[in-house]
Amino acid sequence: MTPTSTAEPAQTGTDHVDVLIVGAGISGIGAGRYLRTLLPHKSFTILEARGSLGGTWDLFRYPGIRSDSDLHTFGYEFKPWRDEQSIADGARILDYLRETATENGLDDTIRYHHRVVGGSWSSAQARWTVQVERTDTGEHLELTADWIFSAAGYYRYDEGFTPEFPGRDRFQGTVVHPQHWPEDLDYAGKRVVVIGSGATAVTLIPAMAETAAHVTMLQRTPTYILPVPRKDPIANALKRLFGDERGYALTRRKNIAQQKLVWSLSQKYPDRMRRIIRWTNAKQLPAGYPVDEHFNPPYNPWEQRLCTVPDGDLFRSIRNGTASVVTDRIDTFTENGIRLTSGRELEADIIVTATGLNVQAFGGVPVTIDGRTVAVSDTVAYKGLMLSGVPNLAYAIGYTNSSWTLKIGLLCEHFCRVLAHMDDNGYRIARAEIADTALSTRPFLDFAAGYIQRVVDQLPSQGDRMPWRTSMNYQDDVKLLREADVLDPELHFETAHQPARRTATVPA
């Protein structure tokens, strides 16, 4: 992985900006670029709590770190992915993000080591006052902004999720969570047990298996896993034929269609998709392998995220004997490893708890409106971009069933269109308000994954109709966020010191 930047925090020369972007990861960099390109007269600053940009791709340092989406859709629409790898390792993605920031003049807009710890909205002043802590010096300061754009992602950077394991203190080896991977961890020739079977686990196992004595994936239930090419031959051919930009655009369109097809078929024909995935897995595994025990989940495809493995590297590790899968439950840690409820004991020198993330909304930052504390769980998401009753605050949350960045670009475009409309009409405040008090709601992320279910009561809700439904369909979002007018009867605009006014309806 490319070393972390140690650049000093950039200074903007002012403590007030039009837009304050929180987070310099893939979403924050994207938001900065769209603002700079579509609204060049707007001032903005990006606050980043860590010492470098990149978010996830700079934070995670575990072996094999890579994307689980193709970079032709996970990359930005405005910047072609030129590398021949379609499923790319973390270092390449981080280089891509750094290039994007530099090419769009964003480096000097980022203030590193600036953690947002609170925000308060004043209706009288039509602005946010944001409390910030310098993570390098401990200094506290305040900034003001007309808008906050939260690009902080959806999980806690300071800690991953690790369940309480009985007997953990007895284990005499090393226990490590992937989110906090020690740089000096030597696993060559060691026996490793990885607890978990999600995207992180299936990435770690083949990478560690190259030098470890043996790596065991210990899972409670199987996960749907599909082999995909690390290099997309069609994408690379299109690039040679049409050049980087046109080839990238064509590949992006192809892959969006592929993602939609897999998702749609999984929803419409779950049993058929289950059989197809099982057949694919069986072809990759040794003859006689217990496929149903280890690779046939009890839920339907895409009820939880489907994992991909580039060039079938996980299956290859199983075939050559450097990795294995055990499906069982943990009874207790022992001095030498893990004892399972079946009575079997897995000996280990290193145990990796690839047990997930701690999800939190908007970086866990508390906000108030005119002195009133906002309970995020009491709000409803508007167009997947704003929260009911919360003025001049936007956020970026991507797809769970497709590439994250596909939605980020559309959200950023729509956000810029809202700001342009406000400028054109002299408005200073935008607030989404639910017109129908009988609106039915459901969880913000209607997803069965454990990391979502653990905090579903702490997240906003979504409605049962647009614009309060959080879409997970790219084509629908193109119509809503890119093509439809920003005017909506439930998005209210007002000038300072004037009562809210309702806008016209969206044209049919």
Side-chain angles (χ1 to χ4, degrees):
M1 175 106 24
T2 306
T4 301
S5 169
T6 57
E8 289 298 313
Q11 300 300 319
T12 62
T14 178
D15 289 329
H16 177 81
V17 289
D18 295 322
V19 181
L20 191 66
I21 300 170
V22 182
I26 195 166
S27 302
I29 294 169
R33 183 271 175 188
Y34 279 98
L35 281 170
R36 174 133 297 171
T37 303
L38 301 180
L39 300 172
H41 61 286
K42 290 289 184 184
S43 62
F44 65 90
T45 291
I46 304 174
L47 300 186
E48 171 55 52
R50 304 178 69 249
S52 60
L53 63 79
T56 296
W57 302 106
D58 182 71
L59 174 69
F60 286 98
R61 302 299 180 93
Y62 59 79
I65 174 70
R66 58 167 174 79
S67 66
D68 64 349
S69 300
D70 71 276
L71 263 295
H72 300 93
T73 55
F74 191 72
Y76 301 113
E77 183 173 16
F78 59 80
K79 179 174 171 59
W81 176 255
R82 293 181 169 86
D83 197 283
E84 62 179 4
Q85 284 191 7
S86 178
I87 304 296
D89 59 65
R92 295 171 193 245
I93 298 172
L94 189 54
D95 286 344
Y96 174 83
L97 296 179
R98 287 173 172 161
E99 284 181 8
T100 303
T102 299
E103 290 170 358
N104 289 278
L106 302 180
D107 292 323
D108 291 338
T109 70
I110 304 173
R111 295 191 185 188
Y112 294 108
H113 303 291
H114 280 58
R115 183 194 309 278
V116 176
V117 295
S120 55
W121 168 263
S122 166
S123 295
Q125 295 179 325
R127 66 172 49 174
W128 287 95
T129 298
V130 178
Q131 293 77 44
V132 178
E133 177 188 12
R134 286 286 299 260
T135 58
D136 52 348
T137 66
E139 176 189 0
H140 289 260
L141 61 147
E142 287 187 345
L143 304 173
T144 59
D146 296 337
W147 274 82
I148 293 176
F149 187 96
S150 176
Y154 66 99
Y155 66 90
R156 290 185 60 169
Y157 273 39
D158 58 339
E159 65 176 22
F161 174 72
T162 303
E164 291 294 328
F165 292 115
R168 176 171 173 164
D169 292 342
R170 295 167 56 193
F171 180 58
Q172 297 179 356
T174 301
V175 180
V176 59
H177 192 284
Q179 191 165 325
H180 307 284
W181 197 267
E183 292 184 7
D184 59 351
L185 182 64
D186 181 12
Y187 53 86
K190 303 290 181 62
R191 298 165 299 177
V192 181
V193 174
V194 177
I195 303 173
S197 58
T200 300
V202 301
T203 299
L204 269 167
I205 289 164
M208 298 185 76
E210 293 179 2
T211 56
H214 188 81
V215 183
T216 302
M217 180 168 78
L218 173 59
Q219 60 181 10
R220 288 188 303 176
T221 54
T223 297
Y224 288 106
I225 300 175
L226 269 180
V228 295
R230 187 180 298 273
K231 299 178 182 180
D232 184 338
I234 296 177
N236 291 333
L238 290 173
K239 183 170 63 176
R240 288 192 299 270
L241 286 171
F242 298 103
D244 286 345
E245 292 194 7
R246 183 59 177 159
Y248 178 72
L250 292 171
T251 301
R252 188 177 175 87
R253 188 177 303 173
K254 169 184 77 73
N255 290 358
I256 289 171
Q258 286 178 179
Q259 291 174 9
K260 181 182 179 182
L261 178 63
V262 172
W263 166 260
S264 299
L265 290 175
S266 296
Q267 302 305 300
K268 191 172 183 179
Y269 306 108
D271 291 338
R272 292 184 187 178
M273 287 299 294
R274 178 192 293 269
R275 290 195 295 270
I276 290 171
I277 295 171
R278 186 195 180 283
W279 175 79
T280 303
N281 292 169
K283 285 184 62 179
Q284 295 275 326
L285 293 163
Y289 188 87
V291 179
D292 289 326
E293 179 181 355
H294 301 311
F295 290 98
N296 194 6
Y299 52 87
N300 287 328
W302 270 119
E303 285 183 5
Q304 298 187 30
R305 193 169 178 90
L306 191 151
C307 292
T308 58
V309 288
D311 295 337
D313 56 4
L314 174 67
F315 299 114
R316 184 171 60 250
S317 297
I318 294 172
R319 288 197 307 270
N320 64 29
T322 58
S324 59
V325 181
V326 173
T327 305
D328 207 331
R329 291 182 176 267
I330 295 172
D331 177 34
T332 183
F333 279 34
T334 66
E335 290 81 358
N336 300 313
I338 298 174
R339 187 169 69 238
L340 306 174
T341 55
S342 64
R344 179 181 177 184
E345 184 162 346
L346 301 177
E347 294 187 348
D349 303 300
I350 299 171
I351 296 175
V352 181
T353 56
T355 45
L357 308 167
N358 276 321
V359 172
Q360 64 180 3
F362 317 116
V365 176
V367 298
T368 62
I369 298 176
D370 297 327
R372 175 181 56 85
T373 300
V374 175
V376 172
S377 58
D378 292 339
T379 65
V380 183
Y382 172 82
K383 292 186 178 180
L385 175 66
M386 297 175 67
L387 299 176
S388 61
V390 182
N392 291 31
L393 186 147
Y395 62 88
I397 296 290
Y399 294 122
T400 58
N401 62 350
S402 187
S403 290
W404 172 274
T405 326
L406 284 176
K407 182 151 191 169
I408 300 304
L410 295 174
L411 291 172
C412 290
E413 286 182 29
H414 195 80
F415 174 63
C416 289
R417 292 172 61 211
V418 170
L419 296 189
H421 173 77
M422 294 175 69
D423 286 349
D424 290 344
N425 293 275
Y427 296 129
R428 294 189 61 192
I429 301 172
R431 188 191 322 254
E433 298 285 358
I434 300 171
D436 180 9
T437 57
L439 178 75
S440 296
T441 61
R442 62 177 191 261
F444 175 59
L445 295 174
D446 197 6
F447 203 46
Y451 62 93
I452 296 298
Q453 295 304 309
R454 286 193 296 270
V455 298
V456 68
D457 60 339
Q458 302 171 32
L459 301 176
S461 300
Q462 63 168 311
D464 60 354
R465 62 170 175 82
M466 287 300 185
W468 301 102
R469 191 169 71 244
T470 300
S471 168
M472 287 291 158
N473 184 293
Y474 176 76
Q475 285 77 15
D476 289 348
D477 279 334
V478 167
K479 296 176 183 177
L480 176 71
L481 299 172
R482 176 177 289 170
E483 297 174 356
D485 200 315
V486 299
L487 297 180
D488 183 271
E490 292 175 283
L491 181 62
H492 300 244
F493 296 102
E494 57 189 288
T495 59
H497 311 299
Q498 289 186 0
R501 66 177 68 183
R502 296 189 64 162
T503 68
T505 58
V506 176

